[in-house]
Structure formats: C-alpha cells, structure tokens
Amino acid sequence: MSTEKNSGSDIGCFGLVCAIIAFICTWVSAIVAFPFLGFVFGWIPAIVMAFIVYVCAEIALWLMWLIILVLLVIAGILFAAGATATILA
C-alpha cells in the first residue's frame, strides 16, 4: 500500500501535449511572420508560450468541463421549454 497523497493536479499528459502543440504553433507562426529571424529566434517565444500553457493546462481543462456543463444545462432548459410548448400547443 502506498501512503502517497494525491496533490489534486493529476491530469495525465494533457498539459504536456498542449505545451508541445503550443510550441510548434508558435514557432511556425514566427517563421511565417519573419522567415529567417523566426526560424533562428522563434523558439524563444515558443518556449515561453509552451511553459505558460503547461502551467495553465489544469485551469484550461477545468474551464473546458465547466463550459460543457453549462452548455448541457442550457440545452436541457431549451429542450424542456420546447417540449412543454409542443405539449401545450
């Protein structure tokens, strides 16, 4: 039995995958905007962006679930209102 406590920030590789995607997209954007300088120096802002995304990945995942929950609640309300209007018509 392990006595290790869970810190609550166990989101798997979500943060790492998002950070890799952010790094690639930022570097490619720098290359497109500034062909030579973007290729040579574009990795610097790309690493900064990847670090920010990695740190904030847990907040982003929480916000995504919150948005999905809110949309489901709104869809349920609209469905119930539509079903009620159909029954009463």
Side-chain angles (χ1 to χ4, degrees):
M1 288 288 231
S2 175
T3 59
E4 180 180 323
K5 290 186 177 182
N6 189 1
S7 65
S9 63
D10 184 23
I11 59 172
C13 65
F14 178 76
L16 183 62
V17 170
C18 289
I20 291 170
I21 292 170
F23 177 82
I24 293 169
C25 291
T26 305
W27 199 8
V28 168
S29 297
I31 293 170
V32 169
F34 309 103
F36 177 73
L37 291 176
F39 183 73
V40 175
F41 298 112
W43 61 272
I44 297 170
I47 285 185
V48 172
M49 182 60 69
F51 178 75
I52 292 170
V53 168
Y54 182 74
V55 169
C56 298
E58 189 172 357
I59 297 168
L61 186 62
W62 181 81
L63 283 174
M64 285 190 293
W65 280 114
L66 182 67
I67 289 169
I68 289 172
L69 181 65
V70 168
L71 290 176
L72 284 174
V73 168
I74 291 171
I77 292 169
L78 291 174
F79 179 77
T84 305
T86 303
I87 292 171
L88 295 177

